[in-house]
Amino acid sequence: VVHRYRVVVGKTEKPSPTVTSEITDINLNPNWTLPASITKNEIAAHMRKDPTYLSRMHMQVYDDHNIVVDPSSVDWSVGKTPNAVVRQEPGPWNALGQLKINMPNSYAVYMHDTNQKGLLSEDYRFDSHGCARVENVRDLAAWLLQATPSWDRAKIDASISTGERQTVKLARTIPVAWIYLTGWMTRDGVIH
């Protein structure tokens, strides 16, 4: 074990999958393109209650040609999948935080920072849509980038502070596996 990080993983109704992949790159100041299921089941409900929700959350709506459209032109009706893509702009408000670790897989999950750091100090840490929010994710990114010339924690921090989106490709991919292991304590007080 080189490092340990607390994580927040998928809710029980949207669990993080067990997956094996390879980490390919890291996004600094990422935007977040919401999955259609979140747009249909959560964003649409917010928009029906509060038409200013998207602007308050720094989100924009795009059509099939990646052109920004007026949210009021979208049908946010119950049970309907809106014919639009919702994207949250980079910044401290972004649900992905300021760093995303890409690991292409069929579940479209990844590791990322969070704009809700308090979730990482909770005992119950099942509060995502399947991705993994990682504590001290910049330290993890620096470790992942150690073989990539000129990238270290200071450069990561400096690049994030510019607010500009940037993708850093790893010099070599790094294998990753998400697994679940049950912990238990024996009568002698030893945790396994």
Side-chain angles (χ1 to χ4, degrees):
V1 175
V2 177
H3 300 282
R4 292 183 189 271
Y5 302 93
R6 287 178 179 232
V7 295
V8 172
V9 295
K11 298 175 183 180
T12 53
E13 66 274 12
K14 299 171 188 155
S16 298
T18 55
V19 64
T20 56
S21 183
E22 291 186 339
I23 297 170
T24 57
D25 58 87
I26 296 173
N27 299 134
L28 306 176
N29 297 308
N31 60 25
W32 179 38
T33 301
L34 283 69
S37 61
I38 294 176
T39 299
K40 176 184 177 184
N41 300 321
E42 297 178 34
I43 299 301
H46 287 299
M47 288 301 289
R48 289 191 300 273
K49 291 179 191 167
D50 175 11
T52 67
Y53 177 79
L54 290 177
S55 62
R56 286 189 303 101
M57 299 305 292
H58 305 273
M59 294 179 176
Q60 292 189 319
V61 180
Y62 295 82
D63 67 10
D64 293 340
H65 304 290
N66 206 32
I67 297 172
V68 176
V69 298
D70 184 344
S72 65
S73 69
V74 176
D75 183 358
W76 301 105
S77 301
V78 175
K80 179 167 176 44
T81 301
N83 188 22
V85 173
V86 176
R87 188 172 300 136
Q88 189 174 41
E89 298 303 317
W93 50 77
N94 190 292
L96 303 182
Q98 296 176 301
L99 192 147
K100 174 184 167 195
I101 299 171
N102 289 314
M103 43 182 261
N105 60 82
S106 61
Y107 300 100
V109 293
Y110 41 84
M111 296 178 281
H112 63 87
D113 188 11
T114 181
N115 63 342
Q116 298 176 332
K117 305 267 193 252
L119 294 174
L120 291 157
S121 61
E122 299 291 326
D123 288 334
Y124 186 83
R125 294 192 308 272
F126 299 92
D127 196 21
S128 82
H129 288 89
C131 291
R133 303 175 196 216
V134 180
E135 180 180 48
N136 300 321
V137 72
R138 291 185 191 193
D139 291 340
L140 174 57
W143 183 77
L144 293 169
L145 289 169
Q146 63 189 342
T148 305
S150 78
W151 280 96
D152 59 15
R153 174 61 193 262
K155 185 167 182 179
I156 291 168
D157 291 342
S159 296
I160 288 173
S161 72
T162 69
E164 297 296 317
R165 289 184 61 227
Q166 184 174 4
T167 298
V168 182
K169 192 154 190 69
L170 272 63
R172 66 181 198 296
T173 60
I174 297 180
V176 62
W178 288 5
I179 61 171
Y180 287 92
L181 298 173
T182 302
W184 69 93
M185 184 170 69
T186 52
R187 289 181 191 211
D188 60 0
V190 176
I191 296 176
H192 301 271

